[in-house]
């Protein structure tokens, strides 16, 4: 059963808008994937391929959307990798970036995880939100409210 899906934004947060405008990139099983929730970004749009029944994109950097120095962020990256390994999760590198390149964050796409595991991992690293996909629905999952705002994900 798919968890509650919200298609309208409950608030008009500038941070939320930056998450929707961001470009998310990864390679899974030798298959490059790049997508955004901003449909005007790519002229030739198509639906995201289903790469797993559930997946999440999580970063350890810049907790609660507050910039940290590079050394601290690198330590957080290593801690995220250690935690993923400890939990025996299937993960691959990902990159989250602003369309203008002004914000770049390495992260991980975690395949076949539960929503609860994804939220727990995001909360361990004090993340405001993650990208969550369940049964081909993709959206922004906020870690505090657990509000899941689903939008069409567009790939290049």
């Amino acid at each position: 059963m798919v968890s509650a899906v919200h298609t309208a934004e409950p608030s008009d947060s500038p941070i939320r808008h930056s998450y929707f405008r961001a470009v998310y990139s990864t390679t899974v099983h030798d298959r490059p994937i790049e997508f955004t929730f901003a449909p005007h970004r790519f002229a030739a749009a198509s639906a995201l391929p289903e790469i797993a029944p559930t997946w999440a994109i999580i970063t350890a950097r810049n907790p609660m959307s507050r910039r940290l120095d590079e050394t601290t962020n690198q330590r957080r990256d290593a801690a995220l990798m250690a935690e993923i390994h400890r939990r025996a999760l299937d993960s691959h590198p990902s990159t989250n970036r602003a369309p203008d390149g002004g914000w770049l964050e390495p992260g991980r796409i975690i395949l076949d995880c539960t929503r609860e595991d994804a939220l727990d991992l995001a909360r361990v690293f004090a993340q405001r939100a993650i990208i969550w996909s369940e049964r081909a629905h993709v959206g922004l999952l906020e870690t505090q409210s657990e509000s899941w705002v689903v939008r069409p994900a567009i790939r290049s």
Side-chain angles (χ1 to χ4, degrees), residues 52-131:
T54 61
W55 52 268
I57 294 179
I58 300 174
T59 183
R61 291 181 170 232
N62 305 312
M64 300 308 289
S65 304
R66 291 188 194 103
R67 282 192 193 247
L68 299 178
D69 64 85
E70 186 62 19
T71 301
T72 302
N73 276 326
Q74 287 175 352
R75 274 184 271 177
R76 292 176 64 83
D77 290 340
L80 174 62
M81 282 303 304
E83 188 62 20
I84 287 170
H85 181 70
R86 187 185 73 73
R87 295 181 188 206
L89 297 170
D90 181 9
S91 78
H92 304 266
S94 68
T95 303
N96 318 325
R97 70 181 190 279
D100 66 1
W103 184 278
L104 180 77
E105 286 186 345
R108 303 297 294 185
I109 184 168
I110 302 169
L111 306 179
D112 297 313
C113 60
T114 67
R115 180 179 168 139
E116 292 74 24
D117 284 342
L119 281 168
D120 181 61
L121 194 57
R123 289 173 179 147
V124 165
F125 291 94
Q127 294 302 303
R128 182 181 303 274
I130 62 174
I131 300 301

